Amino acid sequence: MLSLIPMRASHGAAIYTPFHHHKQSPGSGMFWPVAVAVIAVVGPPQRVTASLTAAPTSSSFDVVPDLPLGGGDSDGRSPSTHYAVTVGSADGTNWVPAFVVESTAKNSTEVNQGYFSHLNEWTSSWVSVMLGPTNSGGVRLRINRIRGGGDSGPITTAVVQPVRSGVTVVSIESGVVEVLVPRAARFTVSFDGGLEDVDTGPNYSGPPMHTFSAFVNPYLATPAGAGVLTVASGADIPTSFPAGTTAIVFGPGEHRMAKVVRPAWPVFTLPSAVRVHLTMGTIIYFAVNGTAADGATLMLEGFGIISGEEMLRCHDPEVAGGKPSCTNVSPQGITVRGGGTVARVLISGVTLVDFPNHHVITTGGKGDLECSAESASLLSNVKVMGWRANGDGIHVFGHWVVEDCFLRTQDDSCYLSSSGPTNTCPTVYRGMTTWNDANGAAFMLIGYNGRLETSDVIYQRASWEWWNGGRVLTNRQQGTVFNVTVADLVVSDPFPSMNAIDLDMRPGSSSGSNHPGSATVQDVIIRNLHVKALSTQKLCPPDAPAPGCHCVPMCTAGALPFGVPNRLVGGPARTNNITSLTFVNSTLAGVPMGEALLSGAYNITWSDVGTITADGKPVEPPHK
């Protein structure tokens, strides 16, 4: 089957080109073309490869061609202005140019839409690849920084994060970086002058940063056959579906809804028991929602993009104190409400970009009596590339497995558990990668029966040092955390702006919502947590907006040799406390956690602490 992507040539005439779909012919190093599209090009020649090959081999992969993505009345989305990428087989053959998507942090001086002045005109570029159905060797990428876009010139160094992605730098020649990606992975490559070299935290005043990431996805077949409804780029977005519809496929290119009458927003509703598939090379400029009623199964999949870039926080700006402002009433990127006892939600593969509100908030089922894997909802291989406040990453309720996700957000990336004490089925997070530039925590340590495994925090930065968010593991006066385990978490940022751990169990409203009652940390285990570096903020100024620079008790003005201290804080009531917290084989800047807990790296209100253990030994207050 030939997949066609609608494009636009320079004079606006539509052209069509297939996916670049490459499989090496056995022993020949050549391609076997078995189907070729007829391509009409108006204007300057376009770079197009139009060959498909025979039976898949271990080197097969798919990419989106390096051409503007168009559709409907659009002239097409242009590729990145900062990076160009070619993709090849793992053996270094069959190189194909690929489309590199670019998203920009818009200028914050416009009507308040949630953008940060700290990130004005920053860009994020990324490429998506799909491995073939029998690919066992992965792919190679050649990455070239495009000069003239404000960058410093040819690349000379490259660092891959996270390390556990398995991606390695093969060579850097004439400014082109070649990396080997041995399996499906989500990663970024920091080049010279990038985030591995430059502290972009509160004191950064340099030029905009332009970053590059890559999403190499496992194989996923596009639904075909009877019952499949295909929506072509530029076509009307359906709101009802013929009887017998089993799948809805959004074809490659851009998709927009017809003009929506205020106060409505452009939102597509997921039908129950129907696969909704976003083909790689697809961009939909509307939100997605659904209802997980009893017995319902909602399915959203594919390697396309769900974009909020064209959405405002509100339809009409307000004016307060002579300045434009905006109450955020926009939709979330993906919203699923309900959560019947046997409902399931299955979301995989998609990339969400720059929504003005949370990117994913979804309720799943509560699970069966055995809390079986078959009853869990699944959110897998989802990517979030966000630039705005309120643009949180993933927030799920119910019995879930959340795995292999890449979250670059400017608000809280992930809530480890959002279920109450009556929901005994756990939520498991594994293979998560988080990245914050200006705002937000990596993982909110809240709720009941959650587990975080084998995950990475690659950059944990903030544009402002004296506030309650921005940590790796945090509970900012948000109530009890019970029976939660964090296992194998690596924080590799060389320049983290804030402290890594901040558990504040006092009543209050630091989270933005008031939590007036009791709260405790109970049966929480943190195993194999390794934090590379201390907070970069080494001075408590006398005029710090936060009293005492967030120390408990308050710090005096002067040096902070450990940066902003980590905090374990309870009180004033005895029911606001830390009952049992266990560290196993964990380190802070190379120091065993048991030693770090007794150093200036931590503030602990010992009168409100029950049992803290590190590597099997109780940690006692220094004055005992």
Side-chain angles (χ1 to χ4, degrees):
M1 176 179 161
L2 193 62
S3 300
L4 296 182
I5 300 181
M7 306 290 179
R8 292 278 165 180
S10 62
H11 293 105
I15 62 173
Y16 292 84
T17 180
F19 270 63
H20 287 316
H21 186 79
H22 282 272
K23 303 181 180 72
Q24 186 178 6
S25 58
S28 70
M30 303 295 290
F31 298 124
W32 294 349
V34 297
V36 178
V38 177
I39 303 173
V41 179
V42 179
Q46 302 285 342
R47 190 169 36 165
V48 174
T49 298
S51 61
L52 294 178
T53 60
T57 71
S58 61
S59 63
S60 62
F61 60 87
D62 288 303
V63 299
V64 180
D66 185 19
L67 287 168
L69 293 178
D73 296 327
S74 170
D75 286 334
R77 183 172 185 137
S78 298
S80 171
T81 59
H82 294 93
Y83 296 96
V85 174
T86 55
V87 182
S89 302
D91 62 2
T93 61
N94 309 331
W95 293 97
V96 180
F99 187 89
V100 181
V101 182
E102 180 174 279
S103 175
T104 301
K106 297 174 185 176
N107 196 306
S108 63
T109 59
E110 300 173 4
V111 173
N112 177 20
Q113 295 298 337
Y115 293 101
F116 292 87
S117 60
H118 196 74
L119 307 180
N120 279 352
E121 307 305 325
W122 285 34
T123 67
S124 177
S125 297
W126 67 92
V127 68
S128 293
V129 181
M130 184 175 71
L131 301 177
T134 61
N135 187 312
S136 58
V139 293
R140 294 188 182 221
L141 307 182
R142 286 178 178 165
I143 309 155
N144 185 22
R145 185 159 55 195
I146 300 172
R147 303 185 68 175
D151 295 308
S152 57
I155 298 168
T156 58
T157 64
V159 177
V160 175
Q161 292 288 4
V163 172
R164 80 169 93 225
S165 67
V167 179
T168 55
V169 177
V170 175
S171 65
I172 304 176
E173 297 182 3
S174 302
V176 177
V177 176
E178 184 172 319
V179 298
L180 173 63
V181 188
R183 57 182 180 270
R186 297 143 301 281
F187 61 95
T188 189
V189 187
S190 175
F191 306 112
D192 43 286
L195 273 66
E196 290 291 314
D197 302 322
V198 179
D199 179 2
T200 57
N203 300 319
Y204 181 72
S205 59
M209 303 295 284
H210 305 293
T211 61
F212 172 80
S213 303
F215 307 135
V216 177
N217 300 291
Y219 178 74
L220 177 65
T222 300
V228 176
L229 174 64
T230 299
V231 182
S233 174
D236 291 340
I237 307 302
T239 57
S240 61
F241 314 101
T245 299
T246 59
I248 302 165
V249 175
F250 284 88
E254 295 184 305
H255 296 257
R256 292 176 174 86
M257 288 190 164
K259 187 174 182 179
V260 178
V261 178
R262 299 177 181 179
W265 295 85
V267 177
F268 176 81
T269 300
L270 295 171
S272 181
V274 175
R275 290 172 65 189
V276 176
H277 182 98
L278 305 185
T279 307
M280 191 168 66
T282 297
I283 305 178
I284 63 172
Y285 292 92
F286 45 84
V288 176
N289 70 11
T291 301
D294 275 340
T297 300
L298 301 182
M299 295 172 282
L300 174 64
E301 65 178 22
F303 304 130
I305 290 173
I306 304 173
S307 174
E309 294 163 294
E310 296 180 354
M311 284 191 188
L312 303 177
R313 287 180 132 195
C314 61
H315 289 309
D316 298 297
E318 307 147 355
V319 176
K323 295 183 179 181
S325 63
C326 189
T327 301
N328 194 353
V329 294
S330 62
Q332 291 132 186
I334 298 174
T335 306
V336 177
R337 305 188 187 280
T341 302
V342 292
R344 294 191 76 200
V345 181
L346 308 175
I347 302 172
S348 68
V350 296
T351 300
L352 294 102
V353 181
D354 196 25
F355 271 84
N357 211 326
H358 290 217
H359 286 84
V360 180
I361 290 188
T362 175
T363 299
K366 298 177 181 179
D368 55 23
L369 293 176
E370 294 77 27
C371 296
S372 65
E374 292 76 18
S375 69
S377 293
L378 176 66
L379 194 148
S380 176
N381 190 26
V382 168
K383 288 78 71 172
V384 173
M385 307 296 271
W387 290 119
R388 304 194 231 187
N390 298 136
D392 295 43
I394 292 173
H395 195 174
V396 300
F397 298 82
H399 181 31
W400 282 84
V401 173
V402 181
E403 62 184 7
D404 300 334
C405 296
F406 186 99
L407 309 174
R408 184 180 189 179
T409 71
Q410 310 314 323
D411 218 307
D412 302 322
S413 289
C414 190
Y415 294 69
L416 287 186
S417 176
S418 301
S419 299
T422 59
N423 185 37
T424 57
C425 292
T427 295
V428 178
Y429 304 81
R430 55 183 176 236
M432 309 295 288
T433 300
T434 71
W435 174 351
N436 294 76
D437 298 288
N439 181 45
F443 298 103
M444 304 301 297
L445 194 60
I446 59 177
Y448 296 75
N449 306 317
R451 183 176 179 89
L452 172 66
E453 305 171 345
T454 321
S455 295
D456 293 271
V457 177
I458 56 176
Y459 302 114
Q460 190 60 43
R461 314 255 171 118
S463 61
W464 189 49
E465 59 269 63
W466 309 121
W467 66 301
N468 294 306
R471 277 73 176 178
V472 173
L473 294 169
T474 188
N475 183 311
R476 47 180 189 261
Q477 299 176 346
Q478 291 169 286
T480 290
V481 52
F482 174 79
N483 191 32
V484 173
T485 297
V486 176
D488 192 11
L489 176 62
V490 175
V491 184
S492 57
D493 189 355
F495 306 111
S497 301
M498 315 296 286
N499 47 310
I501 297 176
D502 201 273
L503 305 183
D504 186 351
M505 311 314 294
R506 296 175 295 181
S509 56
S510 292
S511 66
S513 299
N514 190 30
H515 289 262
S518 60
T520 187
V521 173
Q522 183 175 348
D523 297 340
V524 173
I525 299 172
I526 299 176
R527 178 182 294 112
N528 295 330
L529 165 67
H530 298 289
V531 181
K532 180 176 181 177
L534 297 169
S535 160
T536 58
Q537 304 310 302
K538 296 298 195 286
L539 180 68
C540 178
D543 58 347
C549 296
H550 274 299
C551 303
V552 179
M554 291 188 291
C555 292
T556 58
L560 294 172
F562 295 90
V564 181
N566 298 275
R567 301 193 307 170
L568 304 177
V569 180
R574 294 183 63 84
T575 53
N576 296 86
N577 56 44
I578 296 172
T579 304
S580 53
L581 175 63
T582 299
F583 291 93
V584 180
N585 190 35
S586 297
T587 59
L588 178 65
V591 176
M593 199 62 76
E595 295 180 28
L597 285 159
L598 297 175
S599 73
Y602 270 87
N603 285 173
I604 302 174
T605 59
W606 291 101
S607 61
D608 305 300
V609 170
T611 302
I612 300 178
T613 61
D615 297 323
K617 299 178 181 179
V619 179
E620 302 289 350
H623 57 270
K624 275 193 175 182

